[in-house]
Structures are given as structure tokens and as C-alpha cells.
């Protein structure tokens, strides 16, 4: 991954000098090897910003939303002082999970032995603690994690030293707000969850290229022109969309596209719903090395979708989304073939064209860089 915390968000440079080998797809072991998956959890997921919810899901004191950072159960909750705090969702006594789903609480009470925590994570009470020996309640508190609000979405990061997401994606938030000016007014209106039989990276690979679009999405042929579609990768995010005829077709110009779809490293999609006052976010949470939980959240002006919005959701659910998940599951099966070795990615030297797989290449290079030095096993093919 490129250096973080630059003063401006830098577009990734072209691959003109790359050798053939450097633009081959990731080896199959990255998608099926348990050891690599374990390393990914530690080196990628516990060290990246993971979206949990929209800020409007946490408006009132005591509102909380739980979520997953890969296999780590976490919770974000609004304190009595109005501050949003993130915690590992685990009791400091013997490890019972504390809160489920989303809701509102006055204090956090563990369902096992009823230790009680305030909304800022301090221990309020533990039954029989005055009679028990050697108990110092002042030393007990919930394990906290970093939180950040970005594009009115709440993210967490398990790495206490992580640089802010905003500092790594300069320019992105302005652009999202330009496309969705009322993003701060939106309400959670719908959620769809898919259990996908594919490694999480296959879902990202698939989202970061439109080389497959006219082949694998027959309906796209009616309206979609690949020559108008562009894709630009930045430090830890990417933007794809149609060229805006009102802006110069300059990839360095952050306003060069409309109908944009964003990706945020490593596993978040923000594909714009075809409606200016809405937000659609898609989290790809690894459940195991070959299974991913994909969660789509839809935020609209009202907390129920309109008829047109329902039709849009249905189209994503039954057509485009399903087709993409079928593709990913087929690739997952294919990667077990002893007859497969990684193929060449089709890359536009300018790193701009919609047909190109340069977004996949950037993502896979970031994965390689994160795992560098942690691998022991060789490519079985
Ligand atoms: S595990 Fe939570 S009170 Fe015992
Ligand atoms: Fe697709």
C-alpha cells in the first residue's frame, strides 16, 4: 500500500513499467488457504476502518449498534456526554457478549452475571464485589476501539494507532456529499444479507472491474456503455462512474464522474443508488476463508422505501447483485482446480478505462503488501 497521510489524495500511477508477472491475478492460495485467511484478519481487518452504521442510527443517548470486524464483535454506543464510543463487545469478567443487534440501553448489563457498565465503558457494579477478595473495580472497563465519522457513516478501527480515514481519502467525502447533499438526513430503510460461498476478496475483485459487465449482466447491455465508464484508484479508495459531460475527462479532477460508485479499503462498497437522495452501502465481512457475509444497507429520506426505491432494491437483489454473487461463487469453485494458474489482468496503461482491471490489480497489490513476510506456503498450482 502506498504511503499514508499525504497532504492530498494521490491517484495511483500507471503500470507501464510493470513486468508481466506483476499484473497476474492473485494465486489461488490467497482464496483458499486457512493460514493466509488468519493473517488477513490480523494484518488487514484488525488494522483497517470498518463501517458499522450511519450516524442517524445513533442519535440518542444509549443508542447502540453492534457489528463485526471480521470475527471480532464490536459495538458503537452514544454516551451521556453525547460522545460516540466504540468497544469490543465482550464482558471484562469472563467474556460473555454484551449487546446484540441494535437498540437503546441506560447502562450495559452483561447477561451472564450482570456486571454493569456505564455508556463510557467504566464498571458501575459487580455483584458481591465488596465481599469477594482482591477486586478493584476501578481497574475494570470495557476494551475500547477507535471510531470515526466519515460521510456521516460510523467506522471503527481496532488499531489504536490507525491514521484517520479522512486523512487517507482526502477529497472523497466532499464528492460523496456533492452527490448525496442530504446524506446527513437519511434514515435506515432496508437491509439485505447474503451468505456467499466465496472468499471476501473475490467480491472485492468483482466490484473493482467492469470488464465482466456486458458479458455477465445481460440487462446492462440496454443502457450501459463501457466506453463511458471510468475507474480511478487512490491510496485507500477507488471511484468508478460515468464521465460527467460538464467536467473535463481528466482523472486527476475529482469531479470527473457522476453516477459514481466508491470503494473503501478493504471491504466497503458505496455504490450510488439511482436516486440523488439516498445512500447504499455494502459491507463484505469474511465469515471463513471461503464464506463471506455481504450486508447491504439502504438509507432513504424516509425510514421506508418508496415504490420506486423498492423496485431499485429488487433489481439489485434479483438481477445485478445475484449475478455478481453467482460469478464469485463460480470463481471460488474454479480456484480449487489443479488446472488453474493465475491469468493476466487486462490493464489499461492509463489506469482509467472502464474495461480495465487496474482496480483489481491495485487491490491485490495492497493485499500482497499487507501479507508480505507472513506467508509460508507455496502456490499449489
Ligand atoms: S461474563 Fe459478564 S458478568 Fe460474567
Ligand atoms: Fe457485476
Amino acid at each position: 500500500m502506498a504511503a499514508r497521510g499525504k497532504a492530498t489524495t494521490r491517484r495511483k500511477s500507471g503500470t507501464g513499467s510493470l513486468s508481466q508477472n506483476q499484473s497476474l491475478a492473485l494465486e489461488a492460495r490467497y482464496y483458499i488457504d486457512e493460514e493466509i485467511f488468519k493473517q488477513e484478519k490480523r494484518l488487514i481487518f484488525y488494522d483497517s476502518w470498518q463501517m458499522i452504521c450511519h450516524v442517524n442510527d445513533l442519535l440518542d443517548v444509549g443508542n447502540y449498534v453492534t457489528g463485526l470486524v471480521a470475527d471480532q464483535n464490536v459495538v458503537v454506543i452514544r454516551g451521556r456526554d453525547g460522545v460516540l464510543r466504540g468497544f469490543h463487545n465482550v464482558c471484562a469478567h469472563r467474556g460473555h457478549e454484551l449487546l446484540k443487534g441494535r437498540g437503546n440501553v441506560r447502562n450495559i448489563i452483561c447477561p451472564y452475571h450482570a456486571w454493569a457498565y456505564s455508556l463510557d465503558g467504566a464498571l458501575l457494579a459487580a455483584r458481591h464485589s465488596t465481599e469477594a477478595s482482591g477486586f478493584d473495580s476501578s481497574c475494570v472497563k470495557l476494551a475500547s476501539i477507535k471510531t470515526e465519522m466519515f460521510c456521516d457513516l460510523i467506522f471503527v478501527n481496532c488499531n489504536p494507532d490507525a491514521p484517520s480515514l479522512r486523512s487517507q481519502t482526502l477529497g472523497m467525502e466532499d464528492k460523496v456529499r456533492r452527490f448525496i447533499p442530504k446524506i446527513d438526513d437519511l434514515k435506515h430503510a432496508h437491509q439485505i444479507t447474503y451468505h456467499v460461498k466465496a472468499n471476501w476478496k473475490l467480491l472485492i475483485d468483482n466490484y473493482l472491474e467492469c470488464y465482466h459487465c456486458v458479458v455477465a449482466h445481460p440487462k446492462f447491455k440496454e443502457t450501459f456503455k463501457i466506453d463511458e465508464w471510468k475507474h480511478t484508484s487512490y491510496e485507500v479508495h477507488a471511484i468508478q462512474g460515468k464521465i460527467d459531460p460538464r467536467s473535463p475527462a481528466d482523472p486527476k479532477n475529482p469531479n470527473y464522474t457522476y453516477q459514481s460508485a466508491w470503494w473503501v479499503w478493504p471491504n466497503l462498497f458505496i455504490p450510488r443508488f439511482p436516486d440523488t437522495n439516498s445512500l447504499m452501502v455494502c459491507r463484505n465481512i469474511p465469515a471463513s476463508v471461503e464464506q463471506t457475509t455481504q450486508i447491504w444497507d439502504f438509507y432513504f429520506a424516509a425510514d421506508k422505501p418508496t415504490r420506486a426505491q423498492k423496485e431499485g432494491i429488487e433489481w439489485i437483489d434479483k438481477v445485478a447483485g445475484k449475478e455478481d454473487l453467482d460469478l464469485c461463487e463460480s470463481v471460488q469453485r474454479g480456484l480449487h482446480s489443479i488446472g488453474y494458474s493465475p491469468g493476466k489482468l487486462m490493464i489499461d496503461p492509463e489506469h482509467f478505462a472502464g474495461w480495465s482491471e487496474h482496480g483489481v490489480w491495485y487491490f491485490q497489490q495492497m493485499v500482497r503488501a499487507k501479507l508480505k513476510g507472513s506467508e509460508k506456503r507455496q502456490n499449489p498450482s
Side-chain angles (χ1 to χ4, degrees):
M1 185 165 35
R4 288 167 156 178
K6 300 281 177 194
T8 57
T9 302
R10 200 156 50 84
R11 183 179 178 242
K12 301 265 187 174
S13 58
T15 54
S17 61
L18 287 175
S19 72
Q20 170 92 3
N21 278 348
Q22 285 173 298
S23 56
L24 292 179
L26 272 182
E27 294 83 353
R29 69 178 189 276
Y30 282 87
Y31 302 91
I32 62 180
D33 186 313
E34 292 279 358
E35 283 306 312
I36 291 178
F37 180 64
K38 272 189 207 162
Q39 296 300 330
E40 285 180 340
K41 283 194 281 187
R42 190 170 62 82
L43 299 171
I44 295 177
F45 283 88
Y46 305 167
D47 186 23
S48 61
W49 288 98
Q50 297 287 313
M51 194 213 99
I52 300 298
C53 61
H54 188 285
V55 67
N56 288 350
D57 297 320
L58 294 165
L59 285 182
D60 298 329
V61 168
N63 278 9
Y64 72 86
V65 177
T66 62
L68 285 171
V69 176
D71 57 354
Q72 297 297 304
N73 196 333
V74 299
V75 60
V76 180
I77 191 161
R78 175 136 353 238
R80 294 192 199 292
D81 53 2
V83 174
L84 284 177
R85 293 184 179 84
F87 300 106
H88 288 279
N89 188 13
V90 61
C91 182
H93 179 215
R94 280 173 41 210
H96 198 285
E97 290 171 340
L98 292 168
L99 296 166
K100 282 189 187 302
R102 54 176 67 198
N104 184 279
V105 288
R106 283 175 60 80
N107 295 308
I108 302 169
I109 313 287
C110 178
Y112 200 174
H113 312 97
W115 280 24
Y117 303 88
S118 63
L119 301 181
D120 64 5
L123 184 71
L124 292 173
R127 292 166 47 246
H128 299 288
S129 60
T130 53
E131 299 145 66
S133 60
F135 183 79
D136 180 358
S137 65
S138 67
C139 298
V140 181
K141 60 183 181 195
L142 299 181
S144 64
I145 50 175
K146 285 187 103 163
T147 62
E148 180 175 343
M149 187 166 80
F150 177 72
C151 299
D152 283 298
L153 299 171
I154 305 302
F155 290 77
V156 297
N157 197 315
C158 296
N159 175 3
D161 301 320
S164 79
L165 185 55
R166 186 169 287 104
S167 72
Q168 299 175 78
T169 55
L170 292 180
M172 176 180 160
E173 183 162 26
D174 288 347
K175 185 160 188 185
V176 171
R177 289 186 184 283
R178 196 164 64 85
F179 283 115
I180 313 171
K182 294 186 179 162
I183 192 169
D184 51 345
D185 282 340
L186 300 178
K187 297 176 181 64
H188 193 249
H190 195 72
Q191 186 176 76
I192 308 175
T193 299
Y194 300 101
H195 300 285
V196 191
K197 292 181 191 143
N199 178 276
W200 69 278
K201 296 189 295 302
L202 289 182
L203 280 66
I204 315 302
D205 291 344
N206 178 71
Y207 179 78
L208 290 176
E209 54 93 353
C210 216
Y211 189 39
H212 72 276
C213 288
V214 293
V215 182
H217 299 300
K219 287 268 179 204
F220 278 25
K221 281 188 189 146
E222 294 165 12
T223 54
F224 184 76
K225 292 194 179 70
I226 192 70
D227 291 344
E228 294 176 354
W229 196 251
K230 303 297 169 193
H231 181 121
T232 308
S233 294
Y234 298 90
E235 305 280 324
V236 294
H237 77 289
I239 305 176
Q240 48 190 313
K242 249 173 124 175
I243 293 175
D244 187 339
R246 296 162 300 180
S247 294
D250 172 5
K252 295 183 190 114
N253 175 354
N255 299 328
Y256 80 95
T257 56
Y258 67 113
Q259 293 190 355
S260 288
W262 293 271
W263 163 73
V264 179
W265 164 263
N267 62 334
L268 179 67
F269 307 156
I270 311 179
R272 208 161 64 93
F273 196 77
D275 165 342
T276 53
N277 195 19
S278 62
L279 170 71
M280 178 162 67
V281 287
C282 173
R283 290 172 280 165
N284 296 279
I285 304 167
S288 70
V289 63
E290 300 199 51
Q291 291 186 312
T292 304
T293 305
Q294 188 182 67
I295 303 173
W296 291 77
D297 287 291
F298 298 83
Y299 292 89
F300 298 131
D303 62 5
K304 293 214 168 21
T306 62
R307 180 194 285 251
Q309 287 165 337
K310 272 189 193 156
E311 285 170 9
I313 292 170
E314 177 111 347
W315 187 81
I316 290 159
D317 186 22
K318 299 283 186 299
V319 184
K322 179 176 185 330
E323 287 165 353
D324 280 325
L325 298 186
D326 287 349
L327 296 170
C328 295
E329 291 190 343
S330 174
V331 174
Q332 185 71 41
R333 293 189 296 274
L335 291 174
H336 283 277
S337 170
I338 57 172
Y340 175 75
S341 58
K344 175 82 173 64
L345 297 173
M346 295 291 128
I347 294 183
D348 165 26
E350 294 297 315
H351 280 200
F352 189 41
W355 56 260
S356 169
E357 294 177 293
H358 57 279
V360 179
W361 182 84
Y362 285 135
F363 167 63
Q364 296 187 350
Q365 289 298 98
M366 291 168 79
V367 170
R368 283 185 202 279
K370 281 284 185 183
L371 299 181
K372 203 171 169 197
S374 69
E375 290 186 70
K376 295 188 182 68
R377 294 164 76 161
Q378 296 302 305
N379 184 352
S381 62

